[in-house]
Amino acid sequence: MNIVERLRCNEDLTDTELAELLQTDKYDEQLRIAADAVRREHYGTDVYIRGLIEFTNYCKNDCLYCGIRRSNRCAQRYRLTKEEILECCQEGYALGFRTFVLQGGEDAYYTDARICDIVSAIRRNYPDCAITLSVGEKSHESYQAYFDAGANRYLLRHETATPEHYSQLHPAELTFPKRRECLFDLKAIGYQVGAGFMVGSPFQTMEHIIADLRFLQELKPDMIGIGPFLSHKDTPFCDYPDGELALVLRLLGILRLMHPRVLLPATTALGTMHPQGRELGLQTGANVVMPNLSPQSVREKYMLYDNKISTDEESAQSVQRLAQAVERAGYCVVTARGDAKTKN
Ligand code: 5AD
């Protein structure tokens, strides 16, 4: 058996074998076919949609890659009120969304009390929906409070599992051990947890990517978000090259084979880098898309990287057009919570 077949049979490849798989295009077609077969075994042709509500772009952090870092004076900052967030949910629910993802910068305005108030309001209004939070690093107590208020899932990308590389991408106050602790806290509390990393971030090597794959094997998250690094003009990484499509797709395929039941989004960054990016992702193992439910007026302000798609195809209002695109790619958008089938 070659390395793709062995991965397909749940065998653990060595680092050398993973490096080989990552560095050549000769397995790409075989990997795509195997990843698609495995996603169909567990999820059929279902594609889950998540309504993404980017509710604040204020952030106390200063991550070197990110367009909403605190030092970016060019960013026009905004916050959504509880009422505006609930309106997004109402609109989303009518469109068929059964998961709401509240994502934001680390914004001290949203105290635990405010977050819990928003989460419990959504929980009351939509008892059949999943609530996903993505608001960064918090204490165990805070995570517990959000969970008790009704949140079910939490997205916190690990960004890179190599501490030295982590320090090259982040200011000194952010460390990989802390990030790791947060992820294990979230798991222990009972959240469905999403981790993930950027592909092609500055200074990233094959060794770093292999460390990311090993970390994910250890964490066993329910969701894995990966997408290309895309430079943002008002950040220190403005002159670094974007990540490569082929490598993102290769990694999606590898992740589907290593984590057969994981939820794997075809990310906005993937859709931004190539007009067919999301469709290609879906054909290589991905089974989730996260259209934007934020009000049109704030969409262009949540710019994590240049040219982030914020127009038609990405908006929830055009969910029908999205469904058609997904269908043309060979899959079917479903109205379902789409809980992780990973029970580990
Ligand atoms: N390019 C690609 N992805 C980015 N993110 C932040 N900035 C960028 C960028 N410039 C990703 C990070 C973060 C997620 C919300 O967006 O991985 O976890």
Side-chain angles (χ1 to χ4, degrees):
M1 287 201 288
N2 75 15
I3 47 183
V4 174
E5 289 163 327
R6 289 182 34 232
L7 204 54
R8 167 90 158 94
C9 295
N10 267 320
E11 270 186 50
D12 197 16
L13 301 186
T14 64
D15 287 1
T16 317
E17 291 169 328
L18 281 174
E20 188 193 342
L21 192 52
L22 285 166
Q23 282 170 305
T24 166
D25 61 9
K26 78 176 183 200
Y27 300 106
D28 285 352
E29 184 62 5
Q30 193 194 354
L31 192 58
R32 189 189 62 71
I33 291 167
D36 188 53
V38 169
R39 85 83 93 199
R40 283 171 193 266
E41 263 169 45
H42 297 288
Y43 290 99
T45 56
D46 289 2
V47 171
Y48 302 123
I49 50 171
R50 319 297 196 196
L52 185 60
I53 304 169
E54 295 161 336
F55 69 97
T56 173
N57 71 350
Y58 283 86
C59 192
K60 68 170 188 191
N61 289 331
D62 219 15
C63 307
L64 280 78
Y65 46 83
C66 185
I68 64 167
R69 67 201 301 266
R70 68 158 186 263
S71 299
N72 182 8
R73 292 278 129 46
C74 302
Q76 287 183 46
R77 306 289 169 169
Y78 72 90
R79 293 184 177 109
L80 298 185
T81 63
K82 177 183 169 188
E83 288 66 36
E84 287 171 316
I85 295 171
L86 289 171
E87 277 170 33
C88 293
C89 296
Q90 191 178 9
E91 191 176 346
Y93 193 89
L95 288 162
F97 288 89
R98 295 296 176 268
T99 294
F100 302 117
V101 182
L102 267 56
Q103 183 167 89
E106 291 194 26
D107 178 359
Y109 171 83
Y110 294 96
T111 55
D112 287 354
R114 287 197 169 110
I115 291 180
C116 289
D117 181 49
I118 293 166
V119 168
S120 40
I122 301 174
R123 174 54 59 234
R124 254 195 319 280
N125 293 356
Y126 306 99
D128 57 329
C129 291
I131 302 173
T132 306
L133 289 178
S134 179
V135 293
E137 296 186 357
K138 308 276 177 178
S139 67
H140 190 288
E141 294 69 40
S142 299
Y143 287 149
Q144 184 71 56
Y146 310 157
F147 188 80
D148 294 340
N152 316 91
R153 307 182 186 147
Y154 205 100
L155 305 181
L156 182 67
R157 288 192 180 173
H158 67 276
E159 311 296 0
T160 173
T162 305
E164 298 72 31
H165 186 218
Y166 198 95
S167 302
Q168 291 176 298
L169 303 182
H170 298 99
E173 60 272 20
L174 294 174
T175 67
F176 179 68
K178 176 69 197 160
R179 182 58 59 115
R180 179 191 164 87
E181 183 186 315
C182 287
L183 283 162
F184 280 96
D185 278 350
L186 289 161
K187 262 199 109 171
I189 291 168
Y191 283 97
Q192 293 173 36
V193 172
F197 59 96
M198 287 178 290
V199 179
S201 59
F203 319 114
Q204 187 182 54
T205 64
M206 279 302 143
E207 288 71 36
H208 295 148
I209 295 178
I210 290 166
D212 291 320
L213 295 175
R214 296 302 180 206
F215 174 68
L216 291 168
Q217 283 181 314
E218 183 194 349
L219 178 68
K220 299 189 185 66
D222 305 283
M223 303 164 282
I224 300 175
I226 65 161
F229 161 75
L230 299 173
S231 67
H232 186 295
K233 60 181 182 3
D234 303 314
T235 64
F237 288 165
C238 56
D239 291 328
Y240 284 87
D242 290 347
E244 282 172 29
L245 176 68
L247 188 55
V248 178
L249 294 175
R250 208 171 286 153
L251 275 158
L252 282 172
I254 291 171
L255 288 167
R256 172 55 67 204
L257 297 183
M258 291 177 89
H259 305 264
R261 305 166 86 92
V262 83
L263 292 163
L264 205 53
T267 53
T268 307
L270 185 56
T272 297
M273 85 178 316
H274 186 280
Q276 298 295 312
R278 275 191 312 202
E279 287 85 343
L280 290 166
L282 293 173
Q283 290 167 333
T284 317
N287 63 337
V288 172
V289 285
M290 302 172 66
N292 202 321
L293 271 183
S294 313
Q296 194 72 52
S297 56
V298 304
R299 263 183 218 170
E300 58 198 32
K301 298 184 180 137
Y302 202 83
M303 277 292 161
L304 304 182
Y305 39 81
D306 290 340
N307 307 314
K308 178 164 166 258
I309 40 182
S310 67
T311 47
D312 277 2
E313 207 55 34
E314 183 61 9
S315 78
Q317 288 75 355
S318 43
V319 71
Q320 226 166 356
R321 235 176 313 160
L322 172 71
Q324 286 162 1
V326 166
E327 215 154 295
R328 279 195 299 276
Y331 307 92
C332 189
V333 166
V334 296
T335 295
R337 274 173 56 122
D339 284 297
K341 297 184 179 181
T342 33
K343 255 314 130 229
N344 32 69

